[in-house]
Amino acid sequence: MDGFISVNYVQICTIFLAAVVHASLQLGLGTLLLLYHASLGKHIRKKTKILVTNYIFGAGFLIALIVSAFAFLISTTNRGSLSPEMLGIAVSIMLVLAIIIWFFYYKTRRSTELWLPKAVSRYITNRAKLTESNTESFALGMLTALAEMPFSAILMVVAGNAILALPEVIRIVAFLAYVVIAILPLFVLRFFIRHGRTVVDVQKWRVKNKNFLKIMSGIGFMTLAIFIIAFRLIGE
Amino acid sequence: MSVAKLSKKKIHEDIKREAKVLGIHPGTAEIIADKVTEKIMNWSKKRSMITEDDLNERLVKELEKYNKDLAYLFESKGKVI
């Protein structure tokens, strides 16, 4: 029973940590802010609320799809879990990403412009401005989840691997928990905007706290890497 | 750096739209838009060429006199992601 609990504890912590690090990434939040900005200037509040909801569901849907795809890939090609060598590579990638986040995640010091190529950020910004229908906002959510992949892919691989190691009974709960935690900042933003904060308040907060968020994201990646080294690579 | 195509109507509409984002009363937004647009058009007459950045900078400067949050919206254009 103790072995059962400790193995599940490691997997659950891995999933939770990966989800929290995923939630700390800023592209989805920034794009949602752009969507709010564009929509509040054109539509009534009710329509904006529906567009935002669809955006959040789009992001969550794609994250769910990618995590399950990685889990399926791992289960069919790696005999149910990643080998220690593959986990070692995953850990190395996470350590590199931690350093990249600390030094290259934001382009300039005075704004929250991200690492994205200018053409991509312009494209996403224009899509957010032109979003009129629920389908478009759902697709925009999916697009930003996809655009974040250079940083989030490894988190979803590790989470997918950890989900597979859980008993079948709690796999679906762990899977849903990952998705919900990863998109939690979007719900939080929605809550604050609906309760009186303006897009300016949120953007100023993002600019003011971006160094803190960047450091925490990097620490998150390193913590997850060290956790996997300690409990999966050395521990086993 | 691109050259700005000055349009009184566009500047006016932009200001009103951004004011709506902040929930500023339409009447107040109309007054701010009228005053700022007039100042921008007067400022532009003294210049042979204006870039998008010049225009945005001037808009921010003029809007700060009326509403700092409105000015911030223009200042943070293209800098959110």
Side-chain angles (χ1 to χ4, degrees):
Chain A
M1 189 65 180
D2 283 340
F4 175 84
I5 290 168
S6 68
V7 166
N8 283 345
Y9 166 78
V10 169
Q11 313 311 340
I12 289 165
C13 283
T14 305
I15 294 162
F16 177 75
L17 264 171
V20 166
V21 178
H22 194 151
S24 71
L25 300 173
Q26 291 291 305
L27 180 56
L29 200 67
T31 309
L32 181 56
L33 200 60
L34 285 172
L35 180 63
Y36 257 120
H37 181 178
S39 183
L40 286 171
K42 286 189 288 189
H43 307 124
I44 56 171
R45 286 208 158 241
K46 190 177 177 184
K47 171 135 187 170
T48 299
K49 193 172 88 173
I50 295 168
L51 287 178
V52 163
T53 306
N54 277 283
Y55 172 90
I56 295 172
F57 283 152
F61 176 75
L62 194 72
I63 290 170
L65 216 57
I66 295 171
V67 171
S68 30
F70 279 136
F72 177 73
L73 200 66
I74 292 166
S75 73
T76 51
T77 59
N78 285 277
R79 291 188 231 163
S81 70
L82 290 173
S83 62
E85 292 80 23
M86 298 289 278
L87 274 176
I89 293 170
V91 160
S92 309
I93 291 172
M94 279 189 259
L95 292 171
V96 169
L97 285 175
I99 294 165
I100 289 174
I101 278 193
W102 283 334
F103 294 106
F104 303 111
Y105 196 63
Y106 290 105
K107 270 186 187 167
T108 68
R109 285 188 183 181
R110 288 186 205 169
S111 71
T112 52
E113 276 182 274
L114 297 173
W115 51 276
L116 289 167
K118 203 73 182 169
V120 176
S121 68
R122 225 179 270 141
Y123 178 77
I124 294 174
T125 306
N126 286 337
R127 282 304 335 148
K129 278 184 192 164
L130 297 170
T131 295
E132 295 281 339
S133 69
N134 296 338
T135 313
E136 282 173 337
S137 62
F138 189 89
L140 184 65
M142 289 175 65
L143 173 65
T144 51
L146 193 67
E148 195 98 74
M149 286 279 284
F151 288 93
S152 61
I154 196 64
L155 299 169
M156 292 190 275
V157 166
V158 159
N161 185 54
I163 287 168
L164 284 171
L166 287 171
E168 282 181 25
V169 179
I170 52 174
R171 268 184 200 170
I172 191 73
V173 173
F175 168 76
L176 289 172
Y178 181 92
V179 176
V180 167
I181 294 171
I183 60 172
L184 198 58
L186 306 181
F187 284 111
V188 171
L189 174 61
R190 186 171 180 262
F191 174 83
F192 279 118
I193 300 269
R194 284 195 68 195
H195 286 81
R197 298 286 182 194
T198 64
V199 292
V200 168
D201 294 332
V202 176
Q203 180 58 14
K204 280 181 177 174
W205 181 89
R206 288 181 74 226
V207 172
K208 190 180 168 193
N209 292 291
K210 71 176 206 183
N211 287 331
F212 172 73
L213 291 170
K214 179 173 75 170
I215 289 167
M216 292 313 292
S217 284
I219 288 175
F221 270 105
M222 294 206 92
T223 306
L224 183 58
I226 292 166
F227 189 83
I228 291 172
I229 291 170
F231 288 99
R232 296 299 308 280
L233 292 174
I234 296 173
E236 288 178 8
Chain B
M1 197 170 68
S2 55
V3 177
K5 290 176 191 169
L6 264 182
S7 160
K8 190 176 175 181
K9 188 183 174 188
K10 188 178 176 299
I11 294 171
H12 199 268
E13 290 303 320
D14 280 351
I15 294 170
K16 277 169 60 178
R17 190 178 54 247
E18 301 295 356
K20 191 184 173 193
V21 171
L22 293 173
I24 294 172
H25 189 273
T28 311
E30 186 74 38
I31 293 168
I32 294 173
D34 285 342
K35 288 187 190 276
V36 170
T37 308
E38 193 188 327
K39 288 201 176 141
I40 295 291
M41 297 314 289
N42 289 338
W43 166 80
S44 70
K45 281 174 189 165
K46 298 169 194 169
R47 292 180 137 67
S48 55
M49 192 181 77
I50 301 165
T51 63
E52 294 279 356
D53 290 341
D54 292 335
L55 177 61
N56 209 50
E57 214 178 289
R58 192 73 201 182
L59 261 171
V60 168
K61 198 173 168 182
E62 295 298 335
L63 283 166
E64 268 173 353
K65 298 171 191 171
Y66 300 96
N67 189 302
K68 287 194 174 350
D69 283 354
L70 193 51
Y72 188 84
L73 275 181
F74 279 88
E75 195 181 2
S76 62
K77 262 187 188 178
K79 295 176 186 172
V80 177
I81 58 162

